[in-house]
């Protein structure tokens, strides 16, 4: 099934690219990024305001203030916004500002959060738990459906393995598996899946080629000074290049999705 967020539709005719910083850091940072990604062809804006950090010393996000800045940047650029909600207690607040609620990797198994997020009626971006199987992820989605909300987009964001060359291991085959298992749109997050800026474009191309319904990409005006996830964030120029890199694949994707191409 397809999932609508404003005028965007996941799982339908369009390949949806969501882009923006890991975290909202300032008014200027989020506005500049929103303008740059919109101009390059992104269809939605991302930006964390309540940040789930592994280290207590890491930047925790701007909280409610960041939500307001994100919503404003979305309004000014015409992009719907997605941001993470970390607890059931935050759902009402985040749903007031966000067009789509993100449930992060560290929260995929939080049943109270899944129930509250589902009850908000907002569309949900459900990220794969870093140690979750595809079946467990499908069950988390099913739980939200049971709570009355079928508007769910799944996101493969890499899983923990013995590999250390990348931040996580991108389980690209999860894309068709989850699509078949759940009937829901599935997007890929090459930023968190690799943790390495240079690997984002190759993984993004693989995602389009395997039939993903979209991408979520971290972009920052000055990645080396980002308060979180700078090493995996693209500059504006690199994001423009990425959009160019996926273009030929997106063309084939679109022909296939719309039944124009009989050869595959
Ligand atoms: C994020 O999208 O910034 C994030 C924290 O992702 P994940 O939950 O996949 O780690
Ligand atoms: Mn991040």
């Amino acid at each position: 099934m397809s999932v609508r967020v404003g005028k965007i539709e996941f799982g339908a005719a369009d390949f949806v690219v969501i882009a923006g910083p890991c975290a909202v850091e300032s008014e200027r940072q989020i506005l500049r990024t929103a303008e740059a990604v919109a101009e390059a062809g992104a269809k939605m804006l991302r930006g964390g305001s309540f940040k789930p950090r592994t280290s207590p010393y890491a930047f925790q996000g701007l909280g409610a203030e960041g939500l307001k800045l994100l919503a404003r940047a979305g309004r000014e650029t015409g992009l719907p916004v997605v941001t993470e909600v970390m607890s059931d207690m935050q759902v009402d607040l985040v749903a007031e500002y966000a067009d789509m609620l993100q449930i992060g990797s560290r929260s995929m198994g939080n049943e109270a959060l899944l129930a509250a997020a589902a009850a908000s009626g907002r569309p949900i971006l459900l990220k794969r738990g870093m140690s979750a199987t595809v079946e467990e992820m499908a069950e988390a989605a099913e739980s939200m459906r049971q709570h009355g909300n079928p508007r769910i987009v799944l996101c493969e964001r890499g899983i923990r393995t013995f590999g250390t060359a990348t931040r996580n291991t991108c389980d690209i085959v999860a894309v068709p598996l989850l699509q078949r298992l759940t009937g829901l749109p599935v997007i890929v997050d090459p930023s968190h899946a690799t943790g390495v800026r240079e690997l984002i474009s190759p993984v993004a191309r693989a995602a389009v080629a395997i039939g993903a319904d979209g991408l979520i990409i971290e972009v920052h005006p000055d990645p080396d000074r980002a308060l979180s996830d700078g090493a995996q964030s693209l500059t504006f120029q690199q994001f423009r290049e990425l959009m160019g890199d996926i273009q030929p694949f997106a063309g084939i994707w679109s022909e296939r999705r719309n039944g124009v191409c009989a050869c595959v």
Side-chain angles (χ1 to χ4, degrees):
M1 84 167 234
S2 68
V3 175
R4 261 195 180 283
V5 184
K7 56 186 186 321
I8 309 306
E9 194 171 7
F10 289 87
D14 293 326
F15 186 79
V16 181
V17 179
I18 307 171
C22 177
V24 178
E25 298 172 2
S26 69
E27 180 175 351
R28 186 173 151 74
Q29 175 244 20
I30 191 64
L31 271 172
R32 283 186 63 206
T33 310
E35 282 161 9
V37 300
E39 202 182 314
K43 293 283 188 285
M44 274 185 75
L45 179 65
R46 63 150 288 148
S49 228
F50 292 102
K51 294 301 300 173
R53 307 312 305 279
T54 304
S55 162
Y57 302 108
F59 177 56
Q60 307 289 316
L62 295 182
E65 184 54 29
L67 293 177
K68 291 181 194 159
L69 297 176
L70 178 70
R72 193 179 136 204
R75 268 197 314 277
E76 292 193 7
T77 51
L79 299 179
V81 301
V82 57
T83 194
E84 177 157 359
V85 54
M86 284 168 54
S87 97
D88 50 333
M89 317 271 281
Q90 287 169 353
V91 167
D92 288 346
L93 174 67
V94 177
E96 201 179 315
Y97 294 99
D99 299 289
M100 184 179 215
L101 304 182
Q102 176 173 323
I103 297 191
S105 185
R106 293 159 190 78
S107 302
M108 193 205 85
N110 182 340
E111 184 55 38
L113 174 58
L114 297 181
S120 75
R122 287 274 189 226
I124 311 284
L125 178 62
L126 178 66
K127 299 189 85 173
R128 180 174 181 181
M130 57 188 83
S131 302
T133 64
V134 290
E135 289 83 2
E136 286 162 347
M137 190 177 190
E139 280 165 0
E142 183 55 25
S143 156
M144 284 195 283
R145 278 174 163 154
Q146 301 247 334
H147 286 289
N149 192 343
R151 301 169 70 200
I152 305 158
V153 174
L154 304 178
C155 178
E156 163 58 34
R157 48 79 72 206
I159 49 172
R160 283 271 166 94
T161 67
F162 53 81
T164 53
T166 52
R167 181 176 177 181
N168 292 288
T169 297
C170 185
D171 184 13
I172 201 78
V173 79
V175 173
L177 281 174
L178 286 166
Q179 286 169 331
R180 285 227 305 259
L181 216 56
T182 65
L184 295 170
V186 181
I187 68 170
V188 174
D189 176 348
S191 308
H192 292 88
T194 66
V196 182
R197 199 175 297 149
E198 290 71 24
L199 295 176
I200 293 175
S201 173
V203 173
R205 281 176 276 151
V208 191
I210 207 163
D213 297 281
L215 294 167
I216 181 165
I217 307 281
E218 289 187 335
V219 179
H220 192 281
D222 186 355
D224 291 339
R225 290 177 194 217
L227 297 182
S228 62
D229 286 354
Q232 64 189 40
S233 299
L234 299 182
T235 62
F236 297 164
Q237 176 57 23
Q238 286 166 335
F239 181 67
R240 281 192 286 273
E241 284 167 15
L242 169 84
M243 292 301 278
D245 290 347
I246 63 170
Q247 210 45 56
F249 296 86
I252 295 167
W253 181 98
S254 174
E255 284 174 6
R256 199 189 303 182
R257 184 63 63 101
N258 297 309
V260 181
C261 180
C263 53
V264 279

